[in-house]
Amino acid sequence: MIDESKARAWFDWALHEARKESVRDVEMSLHAAESALTRFANNTIHQNVSDESRGASIRVAIGQRTARVSTNRLEETSIRRATAQAIELARANEEDPGLPSMALPEPIEPAARWDEQTAALPAEARATAVREAIAAIAARSAIAAGIYSNERSTQIILNSNGVFARHDETGAAFSVTATATDSSGWAKASAVRASDIDTLALARSAAEKAALSSEPKRLEPGVYRVVLEPAAVLDLVGQIFGDCSATALDEERSFLNGRLDQRIFGPNITIRDDVRHPLQNGAPFDGEGVPRRALTLFENGHPREMPYSR
């Protein structure tokens, strides 16, 4: 994706441009990603797409002023221009008395999230899995629709204090809906390794749910006890994670504003954010290259630890 020598060369261009303007503090965030997706509906594959992207985000700090400029052209002229624009913007900005100096290097425990087979998964492999899934659902007199995707990505952060943080990650996802005459069923899974996803089992599960929910009956409004499977829980709980941050709280856009001393969930609910858990994804460092640590966001239903940047 991006090798270290190229990353350091690009950063050197930015650093050289900043030094010309007597600017010492420079940070560069690099990203590169390749993704591919097979989409199907009405028991037929109707779309196969792939995408490749990469870019650099350059931030400079001048005293208590800072600014950032991004570019998706990773060649010398564009990186130098982006750096010069960041310097110009920083000098025009108001001072931020709370702005810390750029991060210093810290040891980062890696999070192993790379699988070569997933990174190189061909369209033919996705198509074969989708064909089998469609056949399983069609055999239950239902219609299949969904997606099967795989991706690989690299994130690198460097700064003028010596920070160099890198994270490489792969991922695959399969989502399928089986639609019958008067009902439907859904199943979804994602993983670092495509081989960990049993696409055929998911298709059969979706078809079984469609069969079990046939001939639906009206339920009157009320309180009902339900059991949610892991994929449904993730889609539901995932909506709250953006609110679990000091920034969201400070900007008063979190559902936790004014509720940090209250019990939010049932006493049987504890939620932890642990970047090194094998089922979690993401880099083991934040946007400045600072190591992430495990946090207990909620304990027995109560808010506990909120993520803060430096």
Side-chain angles (χ1 to χ4, degrees):
M1 299 287 287
I2 300 177
D3 63 48
E4 182 175 339
S5 61
K6 282 186 178 181
R8 293 193 182 278
W10 295 335
F11 182 65
D12 285 344
W13 292 337
L15 202 58
H16 187 265
E17 186 67 27
R19 294 291 190 264
K20 285 167 49 179
E21 298 293 325
S22 301
V23 174
R24 193 194 75 81
D25 295 322
V26 184
E27 175 189 271
M28 175 181 280
S29 176
L30 295 164
H31 70 271
E34 296 177 17
S35 62
L37 178 145
T38 298
R39 194 184 303 275
F40 55 101
N42 295 317
N43 288 351
T44 303
I45 293 175
H46 66 91
Q47 187 180 52
N48 188 71
V49 296
S50 62
D51 177 74
E52 181 178 350
S53 64
R54 63 179 188 170
S57 177
I58 300 160
R59 182 171 76 92
V60 302
I62 305 171
Q64 297 303 113
R65 295 179 170 90
T66 188
R68 180 186 299 277
V69 171
S70 299
T71 178
N72 61 2
R73 301 184 63 181
L74 297 180
E75 41 86 20
E76 186 171 1
T77 301
S78 295
I79 288 176
R80 287 181 177 273
R81 183 187 299 119
T83 306
Q85 290 172 342
I87 292 170
E88 184 179 358
L89 288 171
R91 286 176 171 157
N93 273 348
E94 293 184 1
E95 288 192 353
D96 179 358
L99 181 70
S101 58
M102 291 196 172
L104 295 172
E106 294 184 56
I108 299 173
E109 180 185 347
R113 295 210 168 87
W114 182 267
D115 178 63
E116 199 62 46
Q117 289 184 329
T118 302
L121 190 71
E124 292 82 2
R126 295 196 307 274
T128 297
V130 167
R131 183 172 64 246
E132 294 174 349
I134 289 173
I137 290 173
R140 299 293 296 270
S141 301
I143 298 172
I147 61 100
Y148 188 14
S149 66
N150 66 291
E151 63 180 358
R152 59 179 182 171
S153 63
T154 296
Q155 180 182 355
I156 297 175
I157 296 176
L158 312 90
N159 75 17
S160 49
N161 284 340
V163 166
F164 183 93
R166 177 184 184 127
H167 177 68
D168 298 287
E169 185 165 325
T170 59
F174 183 79
S175 175
V176 61
T177 299
T179 304
T181 304
D182 59 359
S183 61
S184 65
W186 171 82
K188 176 184 177 183
S190 59
V192 169
R193 292 172 291 277
S195 59
D196 288 343
I197 301 177
D198 190 336
T199 54
L200 185 55
L202 290 168
R204 288 170 174 163
S205 174
E208 178 67 12
K209 292 173 188 174
L212 291 172
S213 59
S214 64
E215 300 180 4
K217 297 177 177 60
R218 180 179 179 84
L219 282 178
E220 294 302 319
V223 178
Y224 298 90
R225 184 180 296 276
V226 299
V227 177
L228 301 179
E229 64 181 35
V233 173
L234 176 60
D235 277 6
L236 179 64
V237 177
Q239 303 298 317
I240 74 170
F241 291 153
D243 287 23
C244 296
S245 78
T247 301
L249 287 163
D250 184 60
E251 296 175 354
E252 297 187 351
R253 54 180 173 82
S254 171
F255 78 95
L256 291 170
N257 280 110
R259 304 175 69 191
L260 288 175
D261 59 347
Q262 301 176 19
R263 197 181 79 186
I264 306 297
F265 304 116
N268 58 333
I269 301 296
T270 293
I271 302 175
R272 284 176 54 78
D273 173 15
D274 183 357
V275 71
R276 289 170 187 83
H277 190 283
L279 294 181
Q280 192 162 324
N281 61 3
F285 49 83
D286 68 8
E288 293 182 288
V290 176
R292 290 172 59 185
R293 65 182 181 87
L295 299 173
T296 300
L297 302 179
F298 298 90
E299 185 175 32
N300 303 129
H302 291 273
R304 281 294 178 256
E305 297 178 291
M306 291 295 108
Y308 279 77
S309 67
R310 291 187 311 127

